[in-house]
Amino acid sequence: MDIAWLETLETRVRDAAERLRELKEENAALKERIRELESDTGGGGWEEEREEIRRRVEALTRRLEELAEV
């Protein structure tokens, strides 16, 4: 019986296990980076900043519309 296919399977399983290990390390690093970025902005700072920008752009748009009517 030819069991060469078993060696191929073992190689593929080892490669897959190594890739999973790499992905777990990358995932952990990305989670840490997210924590760092969130702490730099105070957690919810992104939403607050986005809302402030939206309000200011809307105010500028209204002002431009008023000037265009004059």
Side-chain angles (χ1 to χ4, degrees):
M1 180 191 304
D2 184 21
I3 61 169
W5 63 270
L6 187 56
E7 188 174 316
T8 302
L9 178 61
E10 288 173 333
T11 300
R12 293 182 72 175
V13 169
R14 277 194 301 274
D15 291 347
E18 175 62 21
R19 183 66 178 135
L20 282 173
R21 186 191 61 75
E22 291 169 357
L23 289 171
K24 284 181 180 180
E25 289 176 5
E26 182 180 356
N27 191 28
L30 290 170
K31 285 180 179 180
E32 177 60 28
R33 182 66 177 137
I34 288 170
R35 280 191 289 277
E36 290 171 4
L37 290 171
E38 287 177 344
S39 67
D40 288 348
T41 62
W46 295 65
E47 289 97 22
E48 293 169 11
E49 184 177 347
R50 187 177 136 192
E51 182 62 27
E52 174 65 19
I53 291 169
R54 186 188 62 76
R55 281 194 301 268
R56 293 175 77 173
V57 168
E58 286 176 351
L60 288 170
T61 302
R62 282 192 301 273
R63 181 67 179 136
L64 287 171
E65 288 171 348
E66 289 170 3
L67 292 171
E69 291 176 1
V70 173

